[in-house]
Amino acid sequence: MNLRFIFAIFFLVTGTAAAADFDLVIRNGRVVDGTGNPWRYADVAVKGDRVVAVGRVTGTGTREFDAKGLVVAPGFIDIHSHSDFKLLQDGHAQSKIRQGVTTEILGEGGSAGPYRGKVSPKQVTVGKTEHELTTLGEYFDLIDRSGVSVNVASYVGIGNLWRAAMGDSFDRPSPRQMALMKKLLDEALRDGALGLSSQVMMPPGSLATVDDVSELCKVVAKHKAIYSTHIRNEGLGVFEAVKEAIEIGRRTGVPVDIIHLKIADQKFWGRMNEVVALIEAARTEGLNIQANVYPYTRGNNNLVSIIPPWAHEGGRQKLVERLKDRTLRPRLKRDIRSGISGWYNHFTAVGGDWSRMLISSNSMYRGLTMDRVLALRPRPKDGEDDLDQLFDLLIEEGGSVSTVYAHHTDRDMTLALRQPWCSVGSDGSAYSIEGPLRKGNPHPRNFGTFPRVLGVYVRELKLLKLEDAVRKMTSLNAAKVGLKDRGVLRPGAFADITVFDPETIIDNAKYTEPFQYNEGIRFVFVNGKLVLDGEKHTGVKSGRALRRK
């Protein structure tokens, strides 16, 4: 071979290698690093899945992006998500990636494992393949094998533990049954769960007493993990419920994060300052009590949450049987209208106003408020009323109708949001505007949570500074759950990066038209790979299951 030709090839190859110092360089952006520090103009360089430089980058990248006029931030961490099995249906996580979310934290009252004891293994389909899940670790393995566009972490839900030991019984657990719950909790934490999560507003979680949860949290404490809780009552019992969460932290020493902190009963609107004072007093005492919120004044639950707790024993089939039993209806109506001590009553929380309940399930009434539903249904028979219509609707729908309730205020929500210990979580799932994940009439938070914070509460209302808002969506969430090297932009951190336009970012999803992506998110990188390029999802699935070590 000609020697000159060999030298030419040598210089071509080495010259190319020298020019490509990095896999990726994002230049000229306003870097908001996630810590709360002031923004600065800087470049961000990435090699592999890690950030290697933040500042003036003189080398070149295999791919370069000009972020002039844009903000470069850590990828957003959604600390409260319900995408568990939607991610197995469609791993592209469209409605989350398009919000700038790069990590989803799953699990509330229930989680993607364990399915043991009195609960049958969970059957799931990925593509055309059937899988059987019995542990949270198996779910993490399946996430890695199937491929997803976001990182995935999870709590273990108290509902899984309780049902594994108790089934659908409302009996008190025996020492042996409690020991089984603690064993399964320990296994899930060893599998990589971030901590224990609870939904103690509805069965089965509501069956757990403060003593029960504290006993489970002793296991959490041994693993130096966290307890995340949807408190027992967000309405007239909100103060007692917050005190309960604090007491669990006091007894066990575990960090406590209160899920979507709110006052969801019109009788107590305007008293968030008292809730904040309770948490501040606990923190002054040395207890690590924190919270998160979503930036909306309506919450998503179920019409069946209007039905008093005693009617739920034995599971959904038994519930439907009780709704069909005409002799029980007077008791049901009395409890719904008058309430039961300690029970959060969604009906009275909205003043019995059917117009403040919007059907979000995939039923013939989706997108309609309940007053319109009642007007469309056959007229009640003699002696019947609107509650009979509610019971009949639940019977027809198999005991479940997803519903959005207008039950709290922007003033209370924003007071919570401003607190330094309060972060942002969507309480949503990864939907899509097309395909199998376009169904029902879901809450707009599934599509717009993070852009709404930046567009409405930072730019328009100036309630938060940009740097503080980003901190609440990144490093604060990472620190709460112990995610290492995520939620910040610094050398050595994983290259989860969101680039957005601070002048145009906004949510578009509405309560009656939720299937709309937001504006202003320009680029999203997950573990160094480009997943969102302008308005185009690249199809890349570079997310990982994040197991707590």
Side-chain angles (χ1 to χ4, degrees):
M1 183 180 291
N2 185 288
L3 188 60
R4 181 180 296 174
F5 179 76
I6 293 174
F7 278 132
I9 294 295
F10 173 80
F11 284 118
L12 177 63
V13 172
T14 56
T16 301
D21 300 286
F22 310 103
D23 296 319
L24 164 69
V25 179
I26 303 170
R27 297 194 183 276
N28 307 316
R30 290 169 56 189
V31 171
V32 179
D33 66 9
T35 67
N37 287 335
W39 67 265
R40 59 183 174 126
Y41 287 114
D43 306 326
V44 177
V46 173
K47 266 193 175 183
D49 62 359
R50 301 271 184 163
V51 174
V52 293
V54 179
R56 183 183 178 190
V57 174
T58 56
T60 59
T62 302
R63 297 194 71 178
E64 298 212 359
F65 295 82
D66 186 3
K68 185 177 181 180
L70 305 177
V71 170
V72 182
F76 304 148
I77 297 173
D78 191 344
I79 199 170
H80 183 206
S81 180
H82 294 277
S83 299
D84 311 55
F85 299 109
K86 285 183 173 62
L87 291 172
L88 296 178
Q89 289 181 263
D90 180 359
H92 292 107
Q94 289 276 6
S95 73
K96 293 299 186 73
I97 284 291
R98 291 173 182 274
Q99 292 184 60
V101 171
T102 57
T103 298
E104 293 209 73
I105 298 176
L106 311 174
E108 190 184 333
S111 55
Y115 296 96
R116 304 274 293 280
K118 294 185 178 182
V119 180
S120 300
K122 178 77 172 180
Q123 306 296 325
V124 296
T125 303
V126 181
K128 296 182 179 180
T129 306
E130 295 285 334
H131 300 270
E132 184 176 275
L133 299 178
T134 60
T135 69
L136 195 55
E138 290 171 355
Y139 173 77
F140 290 146
D141 292 341
L142 186 55
I143 283 288
D144 279 335
R145 290 199 307 272
S146 61
V148 291
S149 293
V150 290
N151 299 310
V152 176
S154 182
Y155 303 109
V156 54
I158 197 172
N160 295 63
L161 306 176
W162 197 272
R163 293 188 66 238
M166 305 299 297
D168 291 324
S169 169
F170 276 27
D171 292 339
R172 293 290 304 140
S174 67
R176 185 174 180 179
Q177 288 166 325
M178 178 57 70
L180 174 59
M181 291 187 221
K182 293 171 73 173
K183 178 177 180 291
L184 294 176
L185 172 57
D186 182 75
E187 289 178 359
L189 291 166
R190 293 180 187 278
D191 280 345
L194 300 175
L196 173 67
S197 64
S198 74
Q199 208 280 42
V200 289
M201 182 178 287
M202 294 287 292
S206 60
L207 304 174
T209 65
V210 176
D211 289 340
D212 295 331
V213 178
S214 296
E215 189 66 20
L216 291 171
C217 279
K218 291 178 183 178
V219 179
V220 176
K222 289 180 181 178
H223 286 266
K224 295 181 173 60
I226 185 174
Y227 172 54
S228 175
T229 178
H230 179 146
I231 56 176
R232 199 173 299 274
N233 194 317
E234 295 175 329
L236 299 183
V238 65
F239 302 119
E240 290 73 20
V242 170
K243 289 176 184 177
E244 175 184 310
I246 292 170
E247 177 61 19
I248 291 167
R250 180 180 291 113
R251 290 188 189 184
T252 63
V254 298
V256 177
D257 196 42
I258 297 174
I259 293 171
H260 51 55
L261 185 65
K262 63 170 76 83
I263 294 180
D265 192 303
Q266 61 185 28
K267 292 181 181 178
F268 277 10
W269 284 352
R271 297 179 65 180
M272 179 58 74
N273 62 314
E274 297 174 50
V275 175
V276 169
L278 286 173
I279 296 174
E280 285 288 354
R283 292 183 61 79
T284 299
E285 183 185 334
L287 304 178
N288 186 358
I289 312 297
Q290 302 188 67
N292 61 72
V293 299
Y294 53 78
Y296 297 88
T297 58
R298 303 185 191 184
N300 207 145
N301 203 298
N302 199 296
L303 272 183
V304 80
S305 63
I306 293 176
I307 307 301
W310 59 264
H312 293 259
E313 183 171 8
R316 190 169 293 174
Q317 181 178 340
K318 290 292 185 181
L319 168 73
V320 172
E321 290 175 9
R322 292 185 182 102
L323 293 176
K324 290 179 179 178
D325 186 344
R326 297 279 168 171
T327 66
L328 290 177
R329 290 198 173 186
R331 180 186 175 189
L332 287 167
K333 292 179 182 180
R334 183 175 62 252
D335 288 349
I336 291 169
R337 291 193 171 110
S338 301
I340 300 173
S341 178
W343 170 49
Y344 173 49
N345 187 334
H346 280 72
F347 184 77
T348 57
V350 296
D353 185 347
W354 296 111
S355 71
R356 288 162 62 185
M357 308 176 199
L358 177 74
I359 303 300
S360 59
S361 64
N362 197 30
S363 78
M364 64 181 291
Y365 299 117
R366 66 181 180 272
L368 299 180
T369 51
M370 270 297 292
D371 59 325
R372 295 181 63 192
V373 172
L374 294 171
L376 290 171
R377 292 179 62 81
R379 292 179 62 84
K381 301 174 184 176
D382 288 343
E384 293 186 343
D385 57 23
D386 289 346
L387 288 179
D388 288 288
Q389 292 280 61
L390 167 70
F391 302 150
D392 292 342
L393 175 60
L394 285 169
I395 291 168
E396 294 165 14
E397 297 289 341
S400 178
V401 180
S402 184
T403 304
V404 172
Y405 291 87
H407 55 27
H408 60 293
T409 69
D410 198 66
R411 180 182 176 187
D412 283 333
M413 183 277 293
T414 54
L415 177 58
L417 178 61
R418 291 201 304 269
Q419 306 310 310
W421 36 260
C422 190
S423 62
V424 176
S426 74
D427 195 12
S429 298
Y431 281 89
S432 176
I433 64 171
E434 57 188 5
L437 293 186
R438 183 187 174 115
K439 57 184 177 181
N441 191 84
H443 196 295
R445 65 192 179 196
N446 295 280
F447 292 85
T449 293
F450 295 86
R452 181 173 178 80
V453 170
L454 295 167
V456 175
Y457 295 101
V458 174
R459 185 181 65 245
E460 295 178 3
L461 299 180
K462 296 178 173 53
L463 181 84
L464 297 172
K465 292 183 178 180
L466 173 64
E467 295 88 345
D468 195 31
V470 170
R471 183 186 72 89
K472 289 174 177 291
M473 300 189 290
T474 57
S475 68
L476 181 54
N477 283 334
K480 286 181 179 182
V481 298
L483 289 179
K484 304 294 185 182
D485 297 329
R486 307 235 179 222
V488 291
L489 283 182
R490 57 168 171 73
F494 286 98
D496 297 337
I497 304 170
T498 291
V499 182
F500 62 90
D501 185 338
E503 299 302 320
T504 64
I505 191 166
I506 198 67
D507 60 312
N508 287 324
K510 311 299 180 188
Y511 288 104
T512 54
E513 297 180 69
F515 289 99
Q516 301 185 71
Y517 296 135
N518 62 81
E519 298 174 30
I521 301 289
R522 295 294 184 84
F523 307 107
V524 176
F525 304 86
V526 180
N527 295 310
K529 304 296 184 183
L530 179 64
V531 179
L532 187 72
D533 186 357
E535 296 183 358
K536 179 184 177 183
H537 192 301
T538 65
V540 169
K541 296 180 178 180
S542 54
R544 301 168 183 168
L546 305 182
R547 297 167 176 84
R548 187 180 186 279
K549 296 181 181 178

